[in-house]
Amino acid sequence: MNVQFKKGVLELCVLVLISKKDQYGYELAQNISRKIEVADGTLYPLLRRLTKEEYLSTYLAESTEGPARKYYSLTEKGTDYMNLLVKEWNQFSSAVNDFIEEVLT
């Protein structure tokens, strides 16, 4: 898949997945990788930025499989931002699909 496509949509995917269930970094990477190949080196800087911008909050939770894990949770501000991004994505993807249909059909 085109790298620029992935970069553009990764933020939205992260917010949507965390809105469904709080997740720790590795878990989130696994869930995204089921559909989109993504490197850990891309995901963690994004999580730090979203936390710094107060779209995500974090907390530590004990793990039965080793040290405590840092979980990410969507804030109210993050929910508003995610909803805006979903709206923008729907408008954008619809416009792109219209171009493709008009030109290639």
Side-chain angles (χ1 to χ4, degrees), residues 18-72:
I18 293 174
S19 75
K20 182 176 181 183
K21 172 184 170 288
D22 293 359
Q23 298 184 46
Y24 59 94
Y26 181 75
E27 176 185 24
L28 187 59
Q30 293 298 308
N31 287 331
I32 291 171
S33 293
R34 286 185 297 141
K35 298 191 186 267
I36 301 170
E37 187 178 328
V38 62
D40 289 348
T42 306
L43 183 60
Y44 288 101
L46 174 60
L47 290 170
R48 279 191 299 276
R49 181 177 61 78
L50 291 171
T51 302
K52 184 178 179 183
E53 293 174 353
E54 300 179 346
Y55 297 131
L56 300 177
S57 61
T58 63
Y59 62 91
L60 290 176
E62 293 299 320
S63 169
T64 58
E65 302 171 8
R69 294 179 172 155
K70 181 193 281 188
Y71 280 81
Y72 294 87

Side-chain angles (χ1 to χ4, degrees), residues 55-105:
Y55 297 131
L56 300 177
S57 61
T58 63
Y59 62 91
L60 290 176
E62 293 299 320
S63 169
T64 58
E65 302 171 8
R69 294 179 172 155
K70 181 193 281 188
Y71 280 81
Y72 294 87
S73 176
L74 203 60
T75 64
E76 186 176 332
K77 182 178 176 182
T79 300
D80 292 343
Y81 182 56
M82 177 196 68
N83 289 333
L84 174 65
L85 289 181
V86 167
K87 181 180 176 184
E88 289 177 350
W89 171 258
N90 287 333
Q91 292 171 343
F92 176 76
S93 61
S94 176
V96 170
N97 287 333
D98 287 348
F99 280 124
I100 291 169
E101 240 180 74
E102 288 173 14
V103 174
L104 296 182
T105 59

